[in-house]
Amino acid sequence: MRPFKPHPIIQHFTQLVRMKDLPSAMNALSSLDNHGLRADPVAYADLVKLCIANRAVRQGRLVHLHIHADAVSPETFLDNNLLNMYVKFGLLDDARALFDAMPERNVVSWTTMVSAYARARASSEESVKLLNLMRGEGVAPNMFTYSSVLRAAVAAREPRMLEQIHCGAIKHGLESDVFVRSALIDAYAKLGDPADGFRVFNEMETGDVFVWNSIIGGFAQNGRCDEALCLFVEMKRAGFRSSQATLTSALRACTGSARMEMGRQVHAHVVKFGPAAARDLILNNAVVDMYCKCGSTNEAGAAFARMRVRDVVSWSAMISGLAQNGRSGDALELFESMKENGPRPNHVTMVGVLFACSHAGLVDEGRLYFDSMRTLFDVEPGREHYGCMVDLLGRAGRLDEALKLIEEMEITPDSVIWRTLLGACKVHKNTSLAKRVAHRILELEPDDEGAYVLLSNTFAGARRWEGVETVRGAMRDRGVKKREPGCSWVEEEMRIHAFVAGDDSHPEMASIIGELKRLFSRIGDAGYVADAELALHDMEAEQREESMRYHSEKLAVAFAMTRAVAGKPIRVVKNLRTCGDCHAFAKMVSMVEGRDIVIRDAVRFHHFRGGACSCGDYW
């Protein structure tokens, strides 16, 4: 029996599709129409994929018309290919019209549409409706359906929707599937509930690196950095090989908690990946950012120099890191190099540049950079840029200019910008402007304790005690209290030791107090005098009722001194701004003990060496 030989026009069409010659294939498609011929469904599917690859929307519509030209319904898999095409082109209405007209819809058809609506944030609720319709028609969702619809719950910011989807996954026996479990953990984390994600994680019978990645990343992105790092260590002990996603999350957790030693351990795992890690831009950016945020700009610079490829994130992280660590000159020099050799600066880059100017008192340079943002880099000034400029002018004592800049802003100033100006009023003891600025802050946030604290400190600095009592009375009347106590922590042998003023629960507190007394004796002999006025009136640094002698960063420094290794800097992290007295304490200790001390507070790094600080006492 002689083998079947297709029509020459069909053969020619099929050959052109295989050759990926879209223009010629479309001409051959017209010949098929003219002769009333139909090619093999596989050739049509390949032509649809060719249209997708070339973003050929018009040609894709013509293929659709050809496939549906006669009364015979095409095979479902062909309609699924057309659905996928419209989704990839972002033509959701066309996809929905085709989907509604399909005589038969299988799990692929439904999942394609569920996924499409899940990705379209404005239509995420439609994704869940389709899931319910799908189940109503007796089509069982699969792992990809649930993985997609979970994204919809995240986009809609609906925890109840997430719980319903979770229940559905359990009913269909998919809760143990690695993709569904990973998506569940990720969804709970992105909705701010990593504890529920951890419950899902604990229910898994067999481990998988994707699930580990989800739970570690979930804790890291919710600021629960220590838990993320504990899970990372547990994962390694369980014998799992880290992926690049795991290491990126672990590095971000080290960044959030400023755990330098742990960060170095994670970096060692990065190095083990060899060439693959060297090419991973996201991973290398995380390494640079980690070292910058942990106060080691030398190691950050070395990692930056080794990068084979750098993007705007790489340059911006390094510039901001140098600025925050008191190396403003180096930050601006790197920015000039970026303009010549790097990518186009973006809004984040410019925040780092203006921060560098602000914390080095470079008023003229800051104005020049700010004024050139639009013209040179097409960057529209945002609140962060205005905030840096207000800080720059305020630190330089140009309070009227700072106020004028705020009043002329093209966007509405928020309480953060006004608070920046209020901080400058405190530095320069301008009580009249401070009252006006505090009033503006309290109009926006009536219970903002920071505004009351700064205003009180401004009056105290100007020795206007009646003003201090008036502000404190207003705080009492409104029931406003300082919400966050000062806390400092030190990493020692991969463990975190935290200190809060007035808390004597640390098991080594007796030796810490003994060391603190020794340090006070030594720096007292060298000329240190405690700022008694600060102890009575500076409510921002620590809770007033605690003696400044036992501020949290002093306790942390004393503890670190008892464990100090020769030549190794002492590193302390604090959740609030460091106060003036603790700043003076650290300077004197660095001088008399010959020890480098690094304190990261809520605003910047302070590198103390030989009795001087990298901030130049300008913070």
Side-chain angles (χ1 to χ4, degrees):
M1 184 175 179
R2 296 174 64 184
F4 171 74
K5 188 175 182 180
H7 193 286
I9 296 177
I10 297 176
Q11 282 185 308
H12 182 58
F13 166 75
T14 304
Q15 185 178 10
L16 290 170
V17 171
R18 288 174 181 167
M19 292 170 61
K20 302 186 185 305
D21 185 348
L22 181 59
S24 300
M26 294 305 298
N27 289 334
L29 187 73
S30 297
S31 296
L32 290 177
D33 277 331
N34 294 336
H35 290 82
L37 298 172
R38 287 291 176 269
D40 183 88
V42 175
Y44 289 136
D46 288 341
L47 181 57
V48 171
K49 293 173 184 174
L50 193 56
C51 291
I52 294 172
N54 287 275
R55 298 293 300 171
V57 178
R58 184 181 63 83
Q59 291 88 337
R61 292 188 191 279
L62 291 174
V63 176
H64 181 183
L65 290 173
H66 174 85
I67 292 172
H68 282 259
D70 52 34
V72 180
S73 298
E75 295 184 32
T76 303
F77 98 93
L78 264 183
D79 273 342
N80 285 343
N81 273 271
L82 290 169
L83 269 183
N84 182 53
M85 177 188 73
Y86 284 127
V87 168
K88 291 285 176 62
F89 289 158
L91 302 172
L92 203 53
D93 291 341
D94 295 75
R96 186 57 186 264
L98 172 60
F99 176 79
D100 289 340
M102 288 173 64
E104 291 185 20
R105 297 178 291 209
N106 59 19
V107 65
V108 176
S109 321
W110 285 97
T111 299
T112 300
M113 291 307 299
V114 166
S115 178
Y117 280 114
R119 283 194 295 268
R121 290 177 177 269
S123 307
S124 55
E125 291 185 4
E126 189 66 24
S127 180
V128 180
K129 291 179 183 177
L130 277 173
L131 176 66
N132 294 330
L133 287 172
M134 177 183 185
R135 291 187 296 205
E137 289 195 9
V139 181
N142 63 17
M143 65 192 77
F144 302 110
T145 319
Y146 274 108
S147 297
S148 297
V149 80
L150 282 165
R151 288 200 300 268
V154 172
R157 308 300 300 172
E158 286 288 348
R160 286 182 59 82
M161 184 189 296
L162 172 57
E163 292 171 4
Q164 291 170 358
I165 297 168
H166 190 174
C167 290
I170 293 172
K171 288 179 182 177
H172 284 93
L174 292 170
E175 76 279 7
S176 60
D177 177 83
V178 63
F179 294 107
V180 175
R181 189 177 292 273
S182 181
L184 276 168
I185 293 169
D186 188 57
Y188 278 121
K190 286 178 177 172
L191 290 181
D193 195 356
D196 277 342
F198 189 61
R199 177 171 51 81
V200 174
F201 171 79
N202 277 335
E203 289 171 356
M204 76 177 172
E205 296 178 4
T206 56
D208 186 279
V209 68
F210 295 107
V211 180
W212 281 99
N213 286 347
S214 294
I215 192 62
I216 292 170
F219 276 111
Q221 72 189 32
N222 279 280
R224 296 172 66 169
C225 301
D226 288 340
E227 289 155 293
L229 292 172
C230 286
L231 283 165
F232 174 72
V233 172
E234 186 180 335
M235 174 186 176
K236 301 305 296 180
R237 287 175 179 166
F240 287 92
R241 179 178 171 81
S242 303
S243 71
Q244 282 150 277
T246 322
L247 296 173
T248 300
S249 293
L251 284 166
R252 286 172 178 162
C254 294
T255 300
S257 57
R259 294 190 62 173
M260 169 76 84
E261 296 305 321
M262 188 67 179
R264 287 189 176 121
Q265 294 289 328
V266 179
H267 188 195
H269 286 288
V270 173
V271 173
K272 290 177 184 177
F273 267 93
R279 292 188 297 269
D280 192 315
L281 193 55
I282 295 175
L283 187 56
N284 282 290
N285 285 343
V287 170
V288 170
D289 191 49
M290 181 274 295
Y291 280 124
C292 284
K293 297 286 176 59
C294 289
S296 182
T297 51
N298 288 337
E299 287 173 282
F304 179 80
R306 286 193 299 268
M307 292 177 69
R308 296 180 183 178
V309 180
R310 304 182 189 118
D311 63 0
V312 68
V313 176
S314 322
W315 289 87
S316 300
M318 197 67 226
I319 289 168
S320 297
L322 289 168
Q324 290 173 341
N325 280 274
R327 295 174 59 180
S328 294
D330 293 333
L332 297 178
E333 184 178 330
L334 185 62
F335 177 61
E336 293 302 321
S337 176
M338 179 184 183
K339 289 196 295 184
E340 293 181 11
N341 309 306
R344 187 183 184 88
N346 64 10
H347 73 284
V348 177
T349 319
M350 297 311 300
V351 170
V353 169
L354 294 175
F355 186 96
C357 293
S358 171
H359 286 260
L362 303 173
V363 178
D364 293 337
E365 292 87 342
R367 279 190 178 280
L368 182 62
Y369 285 127
F370 182 78
D371 292 340
S372 65
M373 283 169 50
R374 278 197 188 96
T375 54
L376 294 184
F377 312 120
D378 197 28
V379 174
E380 290 294 323
R383 286 191 176 87
E384 298 94 339
H385 306 106
Y386 280 108
C388 287
M389 286 303 298
V390 170
D391 190 45
L392 173 60
L393 294 169
R395 288 171 184 272
R398 302 185 183 184
L399 302 182
D400 291 338
E401 290 180 53
L403 178 61
K404 185 173 183 290
L405 178 65
I406 295 175
E407 292 174 339
E408 294 176 352
M409 281 175 58
E410 297 177 10
I411 52 179
T412 304
D414 60 7
S415 60
V416 175
I417 289 177
W418 285 112
R419 200 178 296 116
T420 300
L421 180 56
L422 182 55
C425 292
K426 172 195 167 188
V427 172
H428 297 287
K429 301 180 175 56
N430 189 325
T431 55
S432 60
L433 181 57
K435 287 191 289 185
R436 290 169 56 194
V437 174
H439 179 70
R440 298 297 294 270
I441 297 172
L442 295 174
E443 284 181 337
L444 295 170
E445 297 182 23
D447 295 323
D448 181 358
E449 83 282 1
Y452 287 106
V453 168
L454 279 170
L455 183 57
S456 174
N457 290 343
T458 304
F459 281 121
R463 297 180 175 274
R464 294 276 302 278
W465 310 126
E466 75 287 352
V468 173
E469 290 307 318
T470 299
V471 174
R472 291 179 182 174
M475 290 181 71
R476 286 192 296 269
D477 293 343
R478 291 196 63 87
V480 176
K481 296 181 180 179
K482 182 178 176 183
R483 291 192 292 264
E484 188 176 20
C487 177
S488 299
W489 58 95
V490 175
E491 182 183 13
E492 192 268 333
E493 293 184 354
M494 307 291 282
R495 291 181 58 216
I496 292 293
H497 296 261
F499 301 90
V500 177
D503 179 8
D504 60 358
S505 61
H506 194 282
E508 299 179 39
M509 187 54 71
S511 65
I512 292 169
I513 297 300
E515 176 65 11
L516 197 55
K517 289 178 179 178
R518 184 187 74 81
L519 292 174
F520 275 122
S521 175
R522 290 211 66 195
I523 65 177
D525 292 341
Y528 165 80
V529 177
D531 190 339
E533 185 176 292
L534 179 69
L536 291 173
H537 302 293
D538 190 346
M539 297 168 60
E540 185 184 17
E542 298 280 1
Q543 291 173 303
R544 285 187 300 113
E545 62 270 18
E546 300 297 340
S547 167
M548 65 180 178
R549 179 174 286 265
Y550 301 108
H551 282 186
S552 63
E553 56 263 64
K554 290 189 178 83
L555 294 172
V557 168
F559 168 77
M561 289 293 295
T562 65
R563 304 295 187 88
V565 177
K568 187 176 180 181
I570 289 171
R571 298 182 183 275
V572 176
V573 183
K574 186 177 181 182
N575 62 332
L576 305 176
R577 284 190 65 184
T578 191
C579 75
D581 187 69
C582 287
H583 193 268
F585 169 85
K587 282 171 59 177
M588 295 296 288
V589 170
S590 75
M591 180 179 71
V592 300
E593 294 290 316
R595 174 74 61 180
D596 287 2
I597 300 173
V598 181
I599 297 180
R600 171 178 139 179
D601 69 12
V603 178
R604 62 172 299 157
F605 283 87
H606 299 269
H607 293 257
F608 300 94
R609 172 181 286 183
C613 179
S614 60
C615 73
D617 298 337
Y618 195 81
W619 91 104

